[in-house]
Amino acid sequence: MPRFRKSGSFTRCHVEGPMPKPGDEALVVALAKQRFRSIENAASEEHSVGWVSPGDATGGSFLVDEILLDPHVRLRVRLDRKRLPRVWVQIHLDSALRAREGRPPSAKERKELKDEIASRLLPRVLPSVGFVDLFWDPKEGEVYVFTTSRAGLEAVQKLWHQSFGSRLVETTPLELAFRAGLGKERLKRLERLAPVPFVPPPGETGRAPARRAPPAAAAAGDEGAAAQEAGR
Amino acid sequence: MTTTPEHAFLGEEFLTWLWYRSESGQATFTTDQGGAVAVAFDDLLVFGGEDENRMQQTLRRGLPTLSLEAKAALQAGKRLRKARLVLADGPEQWSFTLDGATLAFGSVRCPDPDGDDDEAAPTPAELDCARMDGFARLARRLDGVYRLFLDERLSDDWERASVPSLRRWIDEKRGERV
């Protein structure tokens, strides 16, 4: 079994909704129901997403010892995608069009021909394989998803919901703030918060006044400004 | 990631606040988990304008926080969108890139969990556990620092004291030489 990664990029999520306990058989059953299914020889499916265990990339087995690593639960998602090389479709299409006799095909006929070629070629294409590692911290209710790609994260969120019924909610600055245990007053402020320009717009005071004050101000007897400048 | 979450500016302000704190000698934080953690800026800064679709400026290698380009970006009102940080807790050290808008962690390097040479080698399961724990501990430590930022950001002192201090810090960079 490959060791868990020691570096990488991750997105944090928290679990909303009930989950099976890590030691429950229900957890492994839920994973197995949504196990990865190969599209290697599939005639029409172009992508497949499902659970695999860290030690078996086929999705054929889920060994509890590989998954339950107290206090964490180690999980892995496999994402396969078949992409038909456009140039191959074009070569076959051109060849089919040359073989036809009579009037040129309509747009509809041309599309049907292209679809037929695609369905004929698709089973011969090997899918690209991708994995997303994740681990669940049941005590904190957090899941660390080792991808920062939007498509990868959404695929994992969808699979999670299909498997367990609960939702994986991505951690954002606002969401984390709401979970930080702030008091009522601060939560109200949080909702009304607007970004602060750290460089104030022209006309608004905010920069160090001593630097902005024209020397003439002090010379004209502006003692306050002069004193402020001396104090800096 | 292409979509920007609501209140993304909060994470970007957090990054700028961390930068200010690190340059004003206040980058050691005692979090509600009890320990003191220190944060330093490393070798990546990414700036962007108010509009996320506008041009980004990336500064890499060396100490970009000291560069003229970083100062100019701050003074032009650009927002710090991403930075590579080092977080230390005692002898342990994590380096990672933090995305302000999403708080996603990039290219994280955790302390080596393999243990001292004197100790018995960990079993594969123990090693996996320790590695996962390394990521989780980083997140929790940064949560503690973020919580301190929120305490300040949502207090009356933010407008009264913190914003003027940050603005003064940015303004004073005009006079600095690299």
Side-chain angles (χ1 to χ4, degrees):
Chain A
M1 180 177 77
R3 298 273 62 81
F4 193 79
R5 55 177 61 236
K6 55 181 176 184
S7 61
S9 304
F10 64 88
T11 305
R12 282 166 79 196
C13 297
H14 75 272
V15 181
E16 268 188 13
M19 282 291 293
K21 286 190 179 139
D24 280 1
E25 199 188 340
L27 178 75
V28 178
V29 170
L31 294 174
K33 270 189 185 168
Q34 296 294 333
R35 71 173 69 233
F36 174 80
R37 286 175 176 82
S38 174
I39 52 169
E40 212 173 312
N41 300 310
S44 58
E45 287 168 289
E46 288 183 42
H47 57 89
S48 176
V49 179
W51 300 108
V52 295
S53 73
D56 179 0
T58 66
S61 64
F62 293 92
L63 298 177
V64 173
D65 289 351
E66 290 183 0
I67 296 167
L68 300 183
L69 295 169
D70 190 39
H72 306 298
V73 177
R74 182 182 174 184
L75 301 168
R76 187 170 237 210
V77 174
R78 178 169 163 185
L79 308 98
D80 279 20
R81 177 177 286 276
K82 280 188 176 183
R83 285 181 206 278
L84 263 183
R86 269 193 204 171
V87 65
W88 272 114
V89 176
Q90 193 60 49
I91 288 169
H92 283 261
L93 183 63
D94 290 346
S95 167
L97 290 174
R98 268 197 310 275
R100 282 172 68 109
E101 287 175 3
R103 63 174 176 80
S106 66
K108 190 183 168 202
E109 286 169 331
R110 201 179 159 88
K111 187 180 176 307
E112 283 170 357
L113 193 56
K114 205 169 172 179
D115 289 346
E116 186 268 319
I117 290 167
S119 64
R120 194 155 33 88
L121 293 181
L122 203 61
R124 295 162 62 184
V125 175
L126 276 178
S128 64
V129 180
F131 295 101
V132 176
D133 286 316
L134 51 149
F135 70 88
W136 170 35
D137 181 343
K139 195 177 155 211
E140 300 287 333
E142 293 211 307
V143 178
Y144 296 72
V145 185
F146 282 79
T147 180
T148 49
S149 108
R150 171 61 52 191
L153 180 64
E154 285 176 356
V156 171
Q157 284 172 316
K158 190 176 169 189
L159 180 65
W160 187 279
H161 184 63
Q162 287 169 341
S163 308
F164 308 117
S166 58
R167 288 177 62 227
L168 264 193
V169 181
E170 188 182 349
T171 298
T172 63
L174 183 64
E175 191 274 329
L176 195 57
F178 274 120
R179 290 197 293 129
L182 303 167
K184 268 188 186 172
E185 193 55 41
R186 293 198 167 172
L187 284 175
K188 271 188 194 169
R189 282 190 185 194
L190 184 64
E191 285 168 3
R192 296 194 304 261
L193 221 54
V196 169
F198 289 130
V199 175
E204 187 187 316
T205 55
R207 286 187 189 156
R211 288 178 187 276
R212 290 204 317 159
D222 187 343
E223 289 177 10
Q228 215 171 3
E229 184 154 21
R232 283 181 194 283
Chain B
M1 303 269 183
T2 50
T3 53
T4 305
E6 192 186 357
H7 277 49
F9 67 85
L10 207 51
E12 294 166 356
E13 287 179 4
F14 173 53
L15 282 177
T16 308
W17 177 81
L18 278 176
W19 185 0
Y20 160 69
R21 296 276 301 229
S22 75
E23 289 201 351
S24 55
Q26 307 170 70
T28 302
F29 304 90
T30 305
T31 66
D32 53 4
Q33 291 150 13
V37 297
V39 178
F41 277 68
D42 201 357
D43 58 358
L44 172 76
L45 294 177
V46 179
F47 292 94
E50 293 287 331
D51 177 358
E52 63 163 320
N53 295 318
R54 292 181 72 176
M55 195 169 61
Q56 284 199 336
Q57 183 182 15
T58 301
L59 305 175
R60 288 181 200 278
R61 306 254 169 96
L63 289 172
T65 51
L66 298 178
S67 67
L68 286 172
E69 290 84 354
K71 290 172 191 173
L74 269 184
Q75 284 160 1
K78 288 188 178 167
R79 303 189 75 84
L80 183 56
R81 296 216 185 277
K82 211 182 263 191
R84 184 137 187 99
L85 304 173
V86 176
L87 186 145
D89 181 354
E92 293 190 307
Q93 195 166 294
W94 289 260
S95 67
F96 58 100
T97 301
L98 189 69
D99 185 311
T102 61
L103 294 184
F105 291 76
S107 306
V108 179
R109 286 187 168 277
C110 294
D112 187 1
D114 295 353
D116 298 333
D117 292 342
D118 300 343
E119 292 176 8
T123 64
E126 284 170 345
L127 188 60
D128 285 344
C129 238
R131 286 182 178 175
M132 286 185 254
D133 207 43
F135 293 110
R137 284 187 297 129
L138 165 64
R140 272 182 235 130
R141 272 151 188 74
L142 200 73
D143 284 356
V145 180
Y146 184 61
R147 169 69 207 250
L148 294 174
F149 163 72
L150 288 174
D151 282 342
E152 190 173 322
R153 180 67 176 85
L154 299 170
S155 72
D156 292 333
D157 280 349
W158 177 255
E159 289 288 342
R160 206 168 41 214
S162 305
V163 172
S165 297
L166 274 150
R167 287 178 174 176
R168 203 174 305 123
W169 165 67
I170 292 172
D171 199 61
E172 282 169 357
K173 282 182 168 287
R174 281 179 211 282
E176 288 176 11
R177 284 176 173 273
V178 178

